[in-house]
Amino acid sequence: MLTGQIVGTGSALPKKVLTNKDLEAVVDTSDDWIVRRTGIKERRISSNRQQEDTSQLAAMASQEALEMAGVSPEALDMIVLGTATADRQFPSAACLAQKYLGATKAVAFDVAAGCSGFVYAMYIANNAIAVGNCRNVLVIGAERLSSVANWEDRGTCVLLGDGAGAVILTQSTNNGGILSTHLASDGNSWDLLYSSDRQLDGSQLPEVLNEVAQSPSYLIMYGNRLFKKAVSCMASIATSAMEHNGLTADDIKFMIPHQANIRIIRAAADRLSIPMDKVYTNIDRYGNTSSASIPIALDEANRKGLLKPGDNVLLVAFGAGLTWGASIVKWSLASA
Ligand code: COA
């Protein structure tokens, strides 16, 4: 049976750090409230003066993953990029990343699944490998959420950050790799998290945000109602993924969840009976980077040597759509 194995990981973050203290000058908030309610201490924000838009961050993360994998850009058959904040409506961020990488033989396209974009992209990539259509696939999650933030809404702007993560999936006949991926969607609840046309005047932004890009649309979220959905959807789809593979919580070495709120992560892990020392989090440093959060966390865990060949790694996401998904990966990479 053909399956995709992760043979390289990478990530890229903008240089500018925006702390909770910085945000106290932007909206009526406090470091204490943000840390207590979300677990976020700081986030990275792309600058208009640096090469840090979504597709550039995607290409930087991909370069790292390609180097680790020892795969050349020309050997890529497909690039699948999960994002809600492509640089332009068209072309796709994936095609721009393809250009930056010189991946001339790859088919490239974006996947729109909100914060679940990376897990959705993994599903497509692994299926393309399983049916024999592709040998090497680059899977990316990349976002510039700062461009869709409403910097007047303290309930949302404090949550968001920018960044990108990537993995290389390579066709293998060995046991392991992506064991299975499970996806779900609920368009009936689309209006809990969506984008709307911006009415704000970008020139009013405070000094600390002077290099931030402003997209014509901005994010609206009903956080309270979403919170409960996020916990139950993540827990139920992760349970389905474990059951499908005959695994229990004890068999999971690491859970790498979407980083939306530390309280959501704790509650989902609790429902799954997975202790927090087996859950990788970096939300304190990067905030919610949407579809980039899982691959950034995966790359960090890999580079820290936390993942060993044979480990079962549970990826679980939730986001706008609503969309959610879980994937179980039998880790096959020796420590980076
Ligand atoms: N600083 C200070 N006070 C704030 C604040 C901020 N940044 N944001 C909201 N508040 C206030 C509210 O105005 C409200 O005040 P009130 O009681 O006087 O009306 C109070 O804090 C509580 O607001 P609430 O929205 O109920 O807080 P919460 O505990 O639900 O936390 C979120 C808000 C957004 C952090 C939380 O709901 C959340 O993380 N939601 C889910 C996010 C998610 O799943 N995203 C989707 C996946 S990407």
Side-chain angles (χ1 to χ4, degrees):
M1 195 179 98
L2 296 175
T3 176
Q5 300 225 347
I6 294 177
V7 293
T9 65
S11 56
L13 280 310
K15 289 179 198 64
K16 185 179 170 71
V17 175
L18 190 69
T19 65
N20 291 348
K21 201 85 198 143
D22 293 330
L23 282 170
E24 289 178 6
V26 177
V27 283
D28 179 15
T29 191
S30 66
D31 175 52
D32 178 62
W33 191 96
I34 301 171
V35 172
R36 242 180 332 105
R37 308 302 286 175
T38 72
I40 301 167
K41 293 180 180 154
E42 57 187 42
R43 70 288 292 141
R44 300 297 182 90
I45 298 291
S46 294
S47 159
N48 274 334
R49 291 190 208 158
Q50 309 281 342
Q51 301 205 315
E52 294 179 335
D53 62 25
T54 300
S55 54
Q56 287 162 328
L57 290 170
M60 284 187 264
S62 303
Q63 236 141 15
E64 280 195 4
L66 286 164
E67 271 164 38
M68 186 186 290
V71 169
S72 73
E74 298 81 16
L76 290 174
D77 302 306
M78 185 182 274
I79 300 173
V80 195
L81 189 157
T83 189
T85 50
D87 309 333
R88 299 168 184 278
Q89 205 161 10
F90 52 87
S92 65
C95 280
L96 294 176
Q98 174 195 27
K99 166 189 135 78
Y100 297 134
L101 293 168
T104 46
K105 300 198 180 81
V107 168
F109 56 96
D110 289 355
V111 172
C115 301
S116 308
F118 179 75
V119 174
Y120 271 59
M122 286 265 284
Y123 177 84
I124 295 165
N126 196 48
N127 285 350
I129 286 173
V131 297
N133 281 347
C134 293
R135 184 164 173 71
N136 294 308
V137 183
L138 169 59
V139 189
I140 312 171
E143 300 283 4
R144 192 178 189 176
L145 288 186
S146 60
S147 70
V148 293
N150 174 356
W151 295 105
E152 294 180 348
D153 177 13
R154 65 178 182 172
T156 54
C157 74
V158 303
L159 307 172
L160 313 176
D162 303 336
V167 304
I168 307 294
L169 282 188
T170 290
Q171 190 186 81
S172 167
T173 49
N174 296 340
N175 286 335
I178 313 299
L179 298 186
S180 66
T181 300
H182 306 256
L183 304 179
S185 312
D186 172 18
N188 284 325
S189 302
W190 70 272
D191 53 354
L192 294 183
L193 177 55
Y194 62 97
S195 72
S196 185
D197 288 346
R198 197 186 281 281
Q199 307 290 330
L200 308 170
D201 176 0
S203 64
Q204 301 301 313
L205 287 182
E207 179 66 22
V208 68
L209 300 174
N210 66 358
E211 290 179 16
V212 165
Q214 291 225 277
S215 128
S217 56
Y218 72 104
L219 177 149
I220 296 176
M221 181 177 87
Y222 296 92
N224 229 310
R225 288 168 60 202
L226 212 51
F227 191 105
K228 294 177 193 124
K229 291 239 180 218
V231 174
S232 63
C233 292
M234 286 168 84
S236 72
I237 204 145
T239 303
S240 303
M242 289 192 290
E243 284 175 1
H244 179 87
N245 292 288
L247 302 174
T248 69
D250 288 344
D251 300 316
I252 300 297
K253 182 66 191 293
F254 257 102
M255 168 170 155
I256 304 199
H258 169 49
Q259 317 272 316
N261 185 319
I262 194 70
R263 293 186 296 133
I264 292 176
I265 295 173
R266 283 199 195 111
D270 188 53
R271 285 203 192 179
L272 291 165
S273 303
I274 295 179
M276 280 304 285
D277 61 0
K278 292 208 294 187
V279 180
Y280 191 86
T281 66
N282 57 14
I283 189 168
D284 56 328
R285 286 173 287 136
Y286 306 137
N288 180 348
T289 57
S290 186
S291 54
S293 82
I294 289 178
I296 292 171
L298 188 63
D299 181 50
E300 283 193 355
N302 181 31
R303 284 174 196 270
K304 284 180 181 170
L306 299 175
L307 311 175
K308 303 276 182 274
D311 285 350
N312 293 311
V313 183
L314 167 65
L315 314 179
V316 56
F318 174 84
L322 302 177
T323 57
W324 59 104
S327 187
I328 298 190
V329 182
K330 188 164 282 293
W331 200 250
S332 45
L333 251 177
S335 273

